[in-house]
Short mmCIF file of all heavy atoms in Angstrom, two decimals:
data_model
loop_
_atom_site.label_atom_id
_atom_site.label_comp_id
_atom_site.label_asym_id
_atom_site.label_seq_id
_atom_site.Cartn_x
_atom_site.Cartn_y
_atom_site.Cartn_z
N GLN A 1463 -34.79 -184.54 -60.34
CA GLN A 1463 -35.79 -183.92 -59.44
C GLN A 1463 -35.68 -182.38 -59.68
O GLN A 1463 -34.79 -181.92 -60.13
CB GLN A 1463 -35.46 -184.26 -57.98
CG GLN A 1463 -34.17 -183.67 -57.37
CD GLN A 1463 -33.94 -183.99 -55.91
OE1 GLN A 1463 -34.08 -185.16 -55.68
NE2 GLN A 1463 -33.67 -183.07 -55.21
N PRO A 1464 -36.69 -181.70 -59.21
CA PRO A 1464 -36.69 -180.18 -59.43
C PRO A 1464 -35.44 -179.57 -58.65
O PRO A 1464 -35.09 -180.08 -57.64
CB PRO A 1464 -37.94 -179.71 -58.84
CG PRO A 1464 -38.89 -180.98 -58.77
CD PRO A 1464 -37.97 -182.11 -58.62
N GLU A 1465 -34.77 -178.51 -59.25
CA GLU A 1465 -33.83 -177.83 -58.58
C GLU A 1465 -34.27 -177.10 -57.33
O GLU A 1465 -35.35 -176.50 -57.32
CB GLU A 1465 -33.17 -176.80 -59.56
CG GLU A 1465 -32.62 -177.43 -60.87
CD GLU A 1465 -33.59 -177.64 -61.93
OE1 GLU A 1465 -34.83 -177.28 -61.64
OE2 GLU A 1465 -33.31 -178.18 -62.99
N GLU A 1466 -33.51 -177.27 -56.29
CA GLU A 1466 -33.91 -176.57 -55.03
C GLU A 1466 -32.68 -176.10 -54.25
O GLU A 1466 -31.82 -176.89 -53.97
CB GLU A 1466 -34.75 -177.57 -54.26
CG GLU A 1466 -35.39 -176.95 -52.94
CD GLU A 1466 -36.22 -177.94 -52.18
OE1 GLU A 1466 -36.41 -179.02 -52.66
OE2 GLU A 1466 -36.75 -177.42 -51.08
N LEU A 1467 -32.83 -174.88 -53.84
CA LEU A 1467 -31.87 -174.31 -52.91
C LEU A 1467 -32.47 -173.91 -51.61
O LEU A 1467 -33.55 -173.30 -51.64
CB LEU A 1467 -31.19 -173.02 -53.54
CG LEU A 1467 -30.26 -173.29 -54.76
CD1 LEU A 1467 -29.75 -171.93 -55.31
CD2 LEU A 1467 -29.11 -174.17 -54.56
N ARG A 1468 -31.91 -174.39 -50.53
CA ARG A 1468 -32.47 -174.00 -49.21
C ARG A 1468 -31.54 -173.28 -48.44
O ARG A 1468 -30.32 -173.14 -48.67
CB ARG A 1468 -32.86 -175.36 -48.42
CG ARG A 1468 -34.03 -176.06 -49.16
CD ARG A 1468 -34.36 -177.31 -48.26
NE ARG A 1468 -35.52 -178.04 -48.84
CZ ARG A 1468 -35.88 -179.20 -48.40
NH1 ARG A 1468 -35.28 -179.74 -47.38
NH2 ARG A 1468 -36.82 -179.88 -48.91
N LYS A 1469 -31.94 -172.69 -47.31
CA LYS A 1469 -31.19 -171.88 -46.42
C LYS A 1469 -30.27 -170.83 -47.13
O LYS A 1469 -29.11 -170.66 -46.87
CB LYS A 1469 -30.21 -172.76 -45.56
CG LYS A 1469 -31.05 -173.79 -44.73
CD LYS A 1469 -30.07 -174.56 -43.80
CE LYS A 1469 -30.87 -175.55 -42.95
NZ LYS A 1469 -29.92 -176.38 -42.07
N LEU A 1470 -30.99 -170.30 -48.14
CA LEU A 1470 -30.33 -169.20 -48.98
C LEU A 1470 -30.18 -167.91 -48.16
O LEU A 1470 -31.19 -167.37 -47.78
CB LEU A 1470 -31.10 -168.97 -50.18
CG LEU A 1470 -30.55 -167.88 -51.26
CD1 LEU A 1470 -29.07 -168.29 -51.76
CD2 LEU A 1470 -31.49 -167.71 -52.46
N ASP A 1471 -28.93 -167.54 -48.00
CA ASP A 1471 -28.64 -166.26 -47.22
C ASP A 1471 -27.69 -165.36 -48.10
O ASP A 1471 -26.63 -165.86 -48.40
CB ASP A 1471 -27.94 -166.67 -45.93
CG ASP A 1471 -27.81 -165.46 -45.02
OD1 ASP A 1471 -28.29 -164.39 -45.31
OD2 ASP A 1471 -27.15 -165.57 -43.95
N LEU A 1486 -22.69 -165.06 -49.63
CA LEU A 1486 -23.81 -165.85 -50.05
C LEU A 1486 -23.47 -167.35 -49.60
O LEU A 1486 -22.47 -167.88 -49.73
CB LEU A 1486 -23.97 -165.92 -51.61
CG LEU A 1486 -25.12 -166.78 -52.16
CD1 LEU A 1486 -25.58 -166.18 -53.57
CD2 LEU A 1486 -24.69 -168.22 -52.51
N THR A 1487 -24.55 -167.84 -48.89
CA THR A 1487 -24.41 -169.31 -48.50
C THR A 1487 -25.83 -169.95 -48.91
O THR A 1487 -26.89 -169.38 -48.84
CB THR A 1487 -24.18 -169.43 -47.03
OG1 THR A 1487 -25.22 -168.80 -46.27
CG2 THR A 1487 -22.80 -168.87 -46.58
N ALA A 1488 -25.74 -171.18 -49.21
CA ALA A 1488 -27.02 -172.01 -49.50
C ALA A 1488 -26.71 -173.47 -49.49
O ALA A 1488 -25.48 -173.88 -49.47
CB ALA A 1488 -27.43 -171.53 -50.93
N LEU A 1489 -27.77 -174.23 -49.57
CA LEU A 1489 -27.72 -175.68 -49.65
C LEU A 1489 -28.36 -176.11 -50.96
O LEU A 1489 -29.51 -175.78 -51.12
CB LEU A 1489 -28.39 -176.34 -48.43
CG LEU A 1489 -27.61 -176.37 -47.11
CD1 LEU A 1489 -28.47 -177.04 -46.03
CD2 LEU A 1489 -26.25 -177.05 -47.20
N ALA A 1490 -27.64 -176.83 -51.79
CA ALA A 1490 -28.26 -177.48 -52.95
C ALA A 1490 -28.76 -178.80 -52.59
O ALA A 1490 -28.09 -179.78 -52.34
CB ALA A 1490 -27.21 -177.64 -54.06
N VAL A 1491 -30.09 -178.96 -52.50
CA VAL A 1491 -30.78 -180.15 -51.85
C VAL A 1491 -30.50 -181.36 -52.75
O VAL A 1491 -30.80 -181.33 -53.99
CB VAL A 1491 -32.29 -179.81 -51.75
CG1 VAL A 1491 -33.00 -181.01 -51.23
CG2 VAL A 1491 -32.47 -178.55 -50.95
N GLY A 1492 -30.04 -182.38 -52.20
CA GLY A 1492 -29.92 -183.68 -52.80
C GLY A 1492 -28.85 -183.73 -54.00
O GLY A 1492 -28.88 -184.64 -54.80
N ALA A 1493 -27.96 -182.71 -54.03
CA ALA A 1493 -26.97 -182.63 -55.15
C ALA A 1493 -25.66 -183.36 -54.81
O ALA A 1493 -24.79 -183.31 -55.67
CB ALA A 1493 -26.78 -181.18 -55.42
N VAL A 1500 -25.59 -180.16 -50.66
CA VAL A 1500 -24.20 -179.63 -50.88
C VAL A 1500 -24.22 -178.21 -50.45
O VAL A 1500 -25.01 -177.25 -50.96
CB VAL A 1500 -23.87 -179.74 -52.34
CG1 VAL A 1500 -22.51 -178.99 -52.65
CG2 VAL A 1500 -23.81 -181.20 -52.82
N PRO A 1501 -23.33 -177.81 -49.52
CA PRO A 1501 -23.25 -176.36 -49.15
C PRO A 1501 -22.52 -175.56 -50.13
O PRO A 1501 -21.40 -175.96 -50.62
CB PRO A 1501 -22.47 -176.42 -47.83
CG PRO A 1501 -21.56 -177.67 -47.95
CD PRO A 1501 -22.37 -178.69 -48.66
N LEU A 1502 -22.91 -174.37 -50.49
CA LEU A 1502 -22.40 -173.45 -51.51
C LEU A 1502 -22.00 -172.21 -50.67
O LEU A 1502 -22.81 -171.73 -49.89
CB LEU A 1502 -23.29 -173.17 -52.58
CG LEU A 1502 -23.94 -174.41 -53.29
CD1 LEU A 1502 -24.94 -173.88 -54.36
CD2 LEU A 1502 -22.97 -175.30 -53.89
N ILE A 1523 -20.91 -181.48 -56.96
CA ILE A 1523 -22.24 -181.30 -57.02
C ILE A 1523 -22.86 -181.89 -58.33
O ILE A 1523 -22.18 -181.91 -59.37
CB ILE A 1523 -22.62 -179.64 -57.05
CG1 ILE A 1523 -24.10 -179.49 -56.90
CG2 ILE A 1523 -22.02 -179.03 -58.35
CD1 ILE A 1523 -24.43 -178.01 -56.54
N ARG A 1527 -29.05 -181.36 -61.13
CA ARG A 1527 -30.00 -180.75 -60.04
C ARG A 1527 -30.11 -179.28 -60.37
O ARG A 1527 -30.91 -178.59 -59.75
CB ARG A 1527 -29.52 -181.11 -58.67
CG ARG A 1527 -29.33 -182.60 -58.42
CD ARG A 1527 -30.61 -183.39 -58.58
NE ARG A 1527 -30.35 -184.85 -58.50
CZ ARG A 1527 -30.38 -185.48 -57.42
NH1 ARG A 1527 -30.59 -184.89 -56.23
NH2 ARG A 1527 -30.20 -186.83 -57.45
N LEU A 1528 -29.14 -178.66 -61.10
CA LEU A 1528 -29.08 -177.17 -61.25
C LEU A 1528 -29.32 -176.93 -62.80
O LEU A 1528 -29.17 -175.77 -63.14
CB LEU A 1528 -27.77 -176.68 -60.82
CG LEU A 1528 -27.39 -176.92 -59.33
CD1 LEU A 1528 -25.98 -176.28 -59.07
CD2 LEU A 1528 -28.42 -176.27 -58.37
N ILE A 1531 -31.67 -173.95 -63.57
CA ILE A 1531 -31.11 -172.67 -63.15
C ILE A 1531 -30.12 -172.25 -64.27
O ILE A 1531 -30.15 -171.07 -64.73
CB ILE A 1531 -30.51 -172.67 -61.84
CG1 ILE A 1531 -31.59 -172.98 -60.82
CG2 ILE A 1531 -29.80 -171.35 -61.55
CD1 ILE A 1531 -31.01 -173.22 -59.48
#
Side-chain angles (χ1 to χ4, degrees):
Q1463 71 178 47
E1465 301 83 2
E1466 185 177 358
L1467 294 177
R1468 291 181 181 173
K1469 297 184 179 180
L1470 181 62
D1471 187 10
L1486 182 150
T1487 58
L1489 285 178
V1491 177
V1500 175
L1502 311 176
I1523 190 170
R1527 307 296 172 90
L1528 303 177
I1531 298 174

